Amino acid sequence: MRSSRHLVLVALAAVALAVGVVQGTAGAGESGGAGDTTSGTSQADLVAAGEQLFLTSCISCHGVDGVGTPNGPPLTAAGEANADFMLRTGRMPMASSDVQPPDKPVAYTDTEIRQLVAYVGSLGDGPPIPQLDLDAADVTNGGQLFRANCAPCHNASGIGGALSYGRHAPSLQETGLEQVAEAMRVGPGQMPRFGPDVLTDQEVNDIVAYVDYLQNPDDPGGLNLGYTGPVAEGFVALVIGLGALMLVIRWITRERRAAGAREGAPDA
Amino acid sequence: MTATDATEPGTGPADDTSTDVAPAHRHPKAHQRAGRLGRWIDSRTGIARVGRGALNKVFPNHWSFLLGEIALYSFVVLLLTGIYLTLFFDADSTGMTTYDGSYGPMQGVQVSEAYNSALEISFDVKGGLLVRQIHHWAALVFVGAIVLHLCRVFFTGAFRRPRELNWVVGCTLFMLAVVNGFAGYSLLDDQLSGTGLRIGYSVLISIPVIGPWLGSLIFGGNFPGDDVIARLYPIHILVVPLLIIAMLTVHLTVLIRHKHTHFPGKGARDDNVVGERLWPTYVFKAGALFFCVFGALALLGGIAQINPVWLYGPFRAEDVSSASQPDWYMGWLEGALRLMPGWETRIAGFTIPNPFYAGVVPAAIVFGGLYAWPWIERRVTKDHAEHHVLDRPRDVPWRTAIGVGVLAFTGVLGFAGSDDVLVVTFGLSVNQAVWFFRVALFALPVISGFVAYRLCIELQRRDGPPPLPTVPVPDTETDGSAGTQDPALVGDAGGGQRHDGSDPADA
């Protein structure tokens, strides 16, 4: 029964895709379709195209209709935010079932991601993609919230940090701001989920604005040394600072050693 | 000759623009005035004799003898920059204010006066951030140079009689430097330093019997306490610096009294010093080194950001950041806390908390061992003789091996203290890293000590039969190899400088 429904879905999707292709090539796109030549852009079209992609790439782990398999979690409550986060950070598709899926180059085009996101969103009532408005954000408040909620794992400078058993809180220095917001709403991996009852939409917006600042802070002190704090500072002080001074004292005492060598006297 | 002239008041050239054949007498009035002033001072202080003696001091020429000087000059930089910072810093961690300085992302945040003034120094005081950064870099280099100097003294046996006192003074200086570094970076009341104080408090109250009392004394109650920063401030800017200055004075006075040690070779004996006179050669070398140290620290302070407290945020007891590390010289103590298994002991109804074993015991053993080393070694060697010619590290393999082992031990602890940063950088597991470091903590000192021992033996073999450095060479002037020596190189020309501190001219 399940396989028959599967077949029906495949057939439907194939039809939908075909319709989309025909529409696209005919140049008769729906409103909002901006130069998209492979599919339609209505929500239904996106879902249908996304399902097609899902069937070819995701179903082996996430199962039919995203109900999950032993190899992959169900996506029925994942929501658009989760799918968008996973796909746009390159965490999905996974290369191997590692301790923690690493972020890597994104596998899909922007259109494909929108299609997959729409499909996963249609599977249940998971969190939607948060809407950001950095112009309306309070960076100062975001900084305080960041230091209280995010810095314990991601570090006060957003460089990430170690968790137990090889897992780690990733650096936020290169992460897309939408994905930062999505991660808060979704709680991927070890990260706690910060739902609307914990952080309001405005607070998420503020935190993202502070992450935006952390990705390119002022650094009035000069070279930032990777923001690794006293570890890098100790390395620089001992290897570069003290190292240079060691060369200086070698240099200061060099003349006499050379003179001694000329005179054939044993070197001290 | 130059040295004598330079200390003789009034006999030096009074006006070097003069082209007269007798320049000293060209301006008799100026000359006489300078001479009178010099005699006036000398007759009241006896400075000429002291100065002549000091400027004639012979200092051996070896790079490793300048490590302590790097520390000394870093300390001078610390004093100079520290004075500037005290003009603007406010050590009040309880009074709260709303930050309204130039740093945008912090505007409107309730912060302590201490943190507020740290941000003010960093963003609104002219040159404040530069001076703050030079001060912090200087502190890191200061302790680093002390450790290198300590290693040089240890591996060359320079702590042997009669220098045990200076060894003890040096160990105290090392400890004072570490304490003052910790006190200094704890003042700013930022999140990172507050985390450090939190750890320090836990270690402090873990000391049996007196711990909780000490904690209350220093912190003014339970952590975070109201008083800790207000108490650390005078300790950091007054008490410890004065102690360091006093200890430095003793350190250098005893050094001058004993005269410097030297390596074997070039006619070096236990009763002479081979090197360069303080004036002019050594004074210029030391002066140049001071400016190089100041320059290097200013460069670091100018181009490399250190301790960006504006990113760490104001201290809140409920907040913490990952990758919170102390400055490097505290790293080995942090590492000990991280590697220690979660054991606790109860003796006669008293709990000895876990941090005591990791935070107090290793520090006590390492510093206790350092202080006691000259006497430990004497028990083994039964060597009670005075030594002014240094050992080369290879010549005393067992001491070298122990030193390398202790360095490996503290080094493993230091790396363990930054294990979370290391595992993220290299994509490893922090749990595996902890076990790796636990094994390495005991294996690496043994292995590296053994390797060092074998290397020493091998180097000795390569040297052939050892020279006899402590046997006095009967006549260095007519000796074939030493006959070409520049007299300025040998401090004992004409009787020379004796290591007992007396001048042969006095006898």
Side-chain angles (χ1 to χ4, degrees):
Chain A
M1 173 178 154
R2 203 166 142 169
S3 61
S4 68
R5 200 181 70 178
H6 182 188
L7 279 175
V8 171
L9 279 174
V10 171
L12 276 174
V15 169
L17 188 66
V19 170
V21 167
V22 170
Q23 280 181 341
T25 46
E30 309 286 323
S31 61
D36 191 335
T37 55
T38 55
S39 66
T41 48
S42 77
Q43 192 60 23
D45 290 340
L46 283 174
V47 170
E51 181 172 21
Q52 197 55 40
L53 285 166
F54 185 88
L55 291 174
T56 54
S57 301
C58 318
I59 194 168
S60 57
C61 295
H62 291 295
V64 176
D65 292 342
V67 295
T69 71
N71 294 327
L75 301 181
T76 45
E80 293 184 338
N82 206 332
D84 199 57
F85 172 82
M86 290 295 175
L87 291 166
R88 287 194 193 275
T89 58
R91 286 186 166 77
M92 289 291 142
M94 271 172 90
S96 65
S97 48
D98 216 338
V99 223
Q100 176 180 356
D103 48 348
K104 56 181 190 295
V106 181
Y108 295 100
T109 66
D110 181 61
T111 308
E112 289 168 335
I113 289 175
R114 279 193 287 124
Q115 292 163 345
L116 277 167
V117 166
Y119 173 69
V120 173
S122 74
L123 296 175
D125 54 352
I129 295 175
Q131 297 303 306
L132 296 178
D133 181 8
L134 295 192
D135 293 334
D138 179 353
V139 181
T140 301
N141 188 43
Q144 288 179 287
L145 290 167
F146 183 88
R147 287 188 294 271
N149 296 291
C150 317
C153 296
H154 290 284
N155 180 279
S157 310
I159 58 164
L163 303 174
S164 53
Y165 298 105
R167 287 181 281 258
H168 66 278
S171 163
L172 305 176
Q173 306 219 295
E174 307 286 330
T175 312
L177 296 180
E178 290 82 4
Q179 282 64 59
V180 173
E182 286 158 4
M184 280 185 255
R185 287 303 191 214
V186 165
Q190 299 279 291
M191 181 167 161
R193 178 175 169 274
F194 295 88
D197 50 339
V198 179
L199 294 173
T200 65
D201 286 347
Q202 180 59 45
E203 286 171 333
V204 168
N205 205 31
D206 294 346
I207 292 175
V208 168
Y210 189 68
V211 172
D212 183 38
Y213 166 74
L214 283 184
Q215 290 185 347
N216 196 16
D218 298 332
D219 290 339
L223 302 173
N224 59 50
L225 311 180
Y227 303 105
T228 31
V231 177
E233 290 160 8
F235 179 82
V236 169
L238 296 184
V239 176
I240 297 178
L242 204 49
L245 290 173
M246 298 278 279
L247 293 178
V248 168
I249 57 177
R250 293 285 299 182
W251 173 58
I252 283 181
T253 52
R254 183 181 60 108
E255 183 195 16
R256 281 302 178 191
R257 283 188 285 117
R262 268 204 309 280
E263 291 162 15
D267 194 44
Chain B
M1 294 318 289
T2 328
T4 321
D5 289 347
T7 55
E8 210 80 67
T11 58
D15 182 359
D16 55 5
T17 60
S18 167
T19 51
D20 199 296
V21 283
H25 303 289
R26 174 71 183 267
H27 301 292
K29 272 187 178 168
H31 166 66
Q32 282 168 6
R33 216 176 292 133
R36 258 206 309 278
L37 179 66
R39 271 190 297 278
W40 188 86
I41 294 173
D42 184 35
S43 64
R44 279 152 187 81
T45 61
I47 194 93
R49 192 168 163 278
V50 176
R52 190 185 303 126
L55 291 173
N56 270 328
K57 286 282 176 212
V58 169
F59 198 88
N61 192 47
H62 192 272
W63 65 270
S64 69
F65 298 161
L66 296 176
L67 291 167
E69 265 178 59
I70 294 179
L72 175 65
Y73 301 146
S74 302
F75 181 66
V76 173
V77 173
L78 282 168
L79 285 181
L80 294 176
T81 51
I83 288 168
Y84 187 73
L85 294 173
T86 59
L87 302 179
F88 306 102
F89 183 69
D90 181 357
D92 177 5
S93 64
T94 49
M96 299 300 281
T97 182
T98 306
Y99 178 76
D100 62 350
S102 306
Y103 181 63
M106 203 59 74
Q107 278 163 3
V109 178
Q110 282 288 112
V111 296
S112 69
E113 295 283 1
Y115 185 75
N116 189 52
S117 65
L119 288 192
E120 193 178 44
I121 288 169
S122 303
F123 291 97
D124 295 304
V125 170
K126 283 220 190 309
L129 183 58
L130 176 67
V131 174
R132 222 198 95 208
Q133 295 201 144
I134 295 175
H135 192 71
H136 204 134
W137 284 117
L140 299 190
V141 170
F142 177 49
V143 188
I146 288 176
V147 170
L148 286 181
H149 175 62
L150 174 81
C151 289
R152 198 281 293 170
V153 170
F154 178 86
F155 285 112
T156 59
F159 53 82
R160 293 173 298 174
R161 189 178 174 201
R163 293 182 178 77
E164 306 97 321
L165 173 68
N166 239 12
W167 169 264
V168 168
V169 170
C171 290
T172 308
L173 278 166
F174 176 32
M175 224 162 60
L176 289 171
V178 169
V179 165
N180 223 28
F182 181 76
Y185 72 70
S186 296
L187 292 176
L188 279 66
D189 205 23
D190 60 296
Q191 190 60 46
L192 184 61
S193 70
T195 305
L197 279 176
R198 166 79 252 188
I199 297 169
Y201 178 77
S202 301
V203 171
L204 201 62
I205 62 171
S206 77
I207 300 172
V209 187
I210 58 167
W213 182 83
L214 268 181
S216 290
L217 177 74
I218 295 175
F219 284 74
N222 277 333
F223 185 84
D226 289 340
D227 299 333
V228 62
I229 286 176
R231 285 176 188 172
L232 284 180
Y233 190 50
I235 289 173
H236 177 73
I237 68 165
L238 184 73
V239 179
V240 181
L242 278 183
L243 284 174
I244 289 179
I245 290 171
M247 287 288 161
L248 263 178
T249 311
V250 175
H251 205 57
L252 296 177
T253 309
V254 173
L255 163 80
I256 290 168
R257 177 83 189 156
H258 287 154
K259 305 198 165 53
H260 209 284
T261 51
H262 48 189
F263 278 105
K266 273 187 190 165
R269 305 192 305 265
D270 264 335
D271 62 349
N272 69 354
V273 187
V274 178
E276 289 154 339
R277 292 201 186 278
L278 194 64
W279 180 267
T281 318
Y282 197 72
V283 164
F284 283 97
K285 285 190 175 182
L289 182 56
F290 171 73
F291 288 114
C292 284
V293 170
F294 207 154
L297 295 174
L299 260 180
L300 277 175
I303 61 177
Q305 183 163 289
I306 186 165
N307 199 21
V309 286
W310 53 91
L311 293 176
Y312 301 154
F315 176 67
R316 306 225 189 291
E318 69 276 19
D319 289 357
V320 73
S321 168
S322 70
S324 286
Q325 260 81 21
D327 277 3
W328 74 266
Y329 43 83
M330 301 289 286
W332 63 292
L333 297 171
E334 168 85 13
L337 290 169
R338 290 185 184 207
L339 295 190
M340 182 72 195
W343 300 334
E344 264 185 359
T345 38
R346 286 183 68 81
I347 298 170
F350 288 99
T351 301
I352 299 178
N354 184 280
F356 179 71
Y357 296 110
V360 181
V361 172
I365 290 174
V366 168
F367 275 106
L370 269 182
Y371 273 106
W373 182 259
W375 292 273
I376 295 173
E377 181 171 316
R378 186 169 304 164
R379 273 189 99 87
V380 176
T381 59
K382 310 269 187 264
D383 178 1
H384 294 271
E386 285 211 357
H387 291 280
H388 300 286
V389 174
L390 295 170
D391 292 325
R392 291 185 308 169
R394 70 185 67 168
D395 293 334
V396 192
W398 64 273
R399 181 206 289 145
T400 304
I402 289 174
V404 167
V406 172
L407 283 180
F409 184 81
T410 48
V412 169
L413 286 179
F415 278 102
S418 47
D419 56 2
D420 55 339
V421 172
L422 295 175
V423 297
V424 169
T425 308
F426 298 107
L428 306 168
S429 158
V430 78
N431 302 65
Q432 290 164 4
V434 163
W435 274 105
F436 169 80
F437 283 124
R438 280 176 181 166
V439 174
L441 183 63
F442 296 99
L444 206 63
V446 175
I447 295 169
S448 58
F450 178 76
V451 169
Y453 187 88
R454 292 308 311 171
L455 273 175
C456 289
I457 302 286
E458 190 54 41
L459 285 168
Q460 278 184 21
R461 282 194 188 137
R462 211 173 281 189
D463 287 344
L468 302 170
T470 51
V471 175
V473 181
D475 187 356
T476 50
E477 292 306 304
T478 56
D479 184 85
S481 66
T484 54
Q485 272 181 345
D486 179 353
L489 281 174
V490 185
D492 66 336
Q497 302 198 338
R498 292 183 188 167
H499 269 295
D500 57 10
S502 67
D503 200 308
D506 299 342

